[in-house]
Amino acid sequence: SKPVSAVQSNVAASGGYYLSAPCSYVLSQPSTITGSIGVIALKFTTKKFWKNKLGINYDRVTTNPLAASNFSMLDGFGEFERIRV
């Protein structure tokens, strides 16, 4: 296989780091700001806030167990989401 080089200029944020990672060589300027890939996944849940502070309760109806997964701020990660993250 041929060697692949990545060249980073002024800023190589997480996307630049991601694309550079598998390369054989990474060239950058001494002042290049290089980001990293996030390794922590956080999810804020607000169910207790709505209930305890504002007196609002939520209920949901779904057609599939995964229909409300990931994007709902009401509940934390379920087992399926933990595996995926």
Side-chain angles (χ1 to χ4, degrees):
S1 70
K2 295 181 181 180
V4 176
S5 298
V7 179
Q8 299 177 349
S9 189
N10 296 334
V11 177
S14 59
Y17 184 93
Y18 182 76
L19 293 173
S20 300
C23 293
S24 307
Y25 303 98
V26 178
L27 307 171
S28 63
Q29 300 172 358
S31 61
T32 300
I33 298 172
T34 305
S36 65
I37 301 168
V39 294
I40 298 175
L42 298 175
K43 181 178 178 181
F44 295 102
T45 57
T46 59
K47 189 174 192 174
K48 290 182 181 179
F49 167 76
W50 292 108
K51 183 177 180 182
N52 298 340
K53 297 290 184 184
L54 302 176
I56 298 173
N57 291 309
Y58 280 90
D59 197 7
R60 73 181 90 151
V61 177
T62 61
T63 57
N64 165 330
L66 302 177
S69 66
N70 286 345
F71 300 108
S72 173
M73 291 181 62
L74 297 176
D75 301 311
F77 287 124
E79 188 59 32
F80 180 75
E81 289 89 4
R82 276 193 210 98
I83 290 169
R84 287 179 53 196
V85 172

